[in-house]
Amino acid sequence: MEANSFILLRNNTTPHNGKFTWSSPSNIALVKYWGKKENQIPKNPSVSFTLDACKTTTSLSFAKKEKDNSFSFDVVFEGKKNEDFKPKIETFFKRIQTYLPFLKDYHFTIETENTFPHSSGIASSASGMSALALCLMSIEKEINPKITQEYFNQKASFLARLGSGSACRSIEGDLIVWGKHENIEGSSNLFAIKYPYTVHDNFKNYQDTILLVDKGEKQVSSTVGHNLMHNHPFAKQRFKQASENMTKLMDVFKTGNLNAFIDIVESEALTLHAMMLTSMPYFILMKPNTLEIINAIWAFRKQSGLHISFTLDAGANVHVLYPENEAEKCIEFIKNELVAYCQNGHYICDTIGFGAKLKP
Ligand code: DP6
């Protein structure tokens, strides 16, 4: 599939106005996307669990305007007009206008809210950009009702990627691959796909408790972070390792080998941070409590024999992962020993989800 197969051809019967609402989840990468080329093309494939509770709901209202050469939109975040998100959305519109030529025909009102607290340190770009891409695809579907569900999802993912790379993995669930991998049929750098092979029951309803260690602004934006992989001394080796980890995970998904899963996922998280520690300029995004939590998880895992593990995003918060059938004991441990390391005791219990939903 080529990018230009996603161009919507000009059509006279565009709607006058309307409104669509989508809720779209966040996702957590098991093999990390860190490093990209031009046009939001990833340097290595990644795979993620789609989340369920952490999501963004976005309503997109649209009304025909005098056509001029500019984008026209307002953003309302949690009920209040918001200017901060506008530059990112303007960039997004510029990147996708070739694929959605109707964008300059409308004035848009984008009303958006997250289920997770604002400034929780949880990135909202994946859920936010995917929700907006889906609303835009609903307009395309109204213009061109014949598009298939497969095309709808692929193009939604394709557009979301142009807003934020990881957003392309939030359209569907529960296990999603983005980036070309030689052993994964249908995998693409342009959009994400559902993992196409059988997944062992051990990974059904996997749990993710997000410990909010630091709710402050990100020290390094992901754009800056990805750019640090250009000329990074270990970049080449890292991209190779990510591809190899994908191959190893394929076997793990098949066999249900939880110990092997833990080794790969924790190593991926620490490698992501190692890339930041060894870039120029260099960053430490973990906080002392991030390390306290990691050490406590390791000690508890050793002592209990449970399959509890962690992963990290580009920040200090910790995602604690565990299988559903070990949830009771893991939650007890989290409450008793880990919540104390969270800022104001805040954490979010989430589980694997199945993707975005159109709201009536
Ligand atoms: C560490 O998707 O936020 O979460 O494409 O620049 O918007 P942009 O980056 P973004 O990067 C996410 C990186 C990560 C790892 C991952 O989700 O794979």
Side-chain angles (χ1 to χ4, degrees), residues 91-123:
T91 304
F92 177 49
F93 280 179
K94 277 188 198 141
R95 286 182 187 157
I96 63 173
Q97 63 173 332
T98 317
Y99 308 100
L100 299 175
F102 59 77
L103 283 180
K104 286 181 177 164
D105 299 352
Y106 293 104
H107 174 76
F108 295 102
T109 304
I110 303 164
E111 292 166 88
T112 186
E113 57 190 35
N114 300 327
T115 54
F116 43 89
H118 186 47
S119 70
S120 57
I122 299 185

Side-chain angles (χ1 to χ4, degrees), residues 238-251:
R238 159 60 196 153
F239 302 140
K240 183 166 172 276
Q241 175 201 39
S243 280
E244 287 164 2
N245 280 342
M246 292 289 289
T247 306
K248 288 183 191 159
L249 268 185
M250 289 177 73
D251 188 54

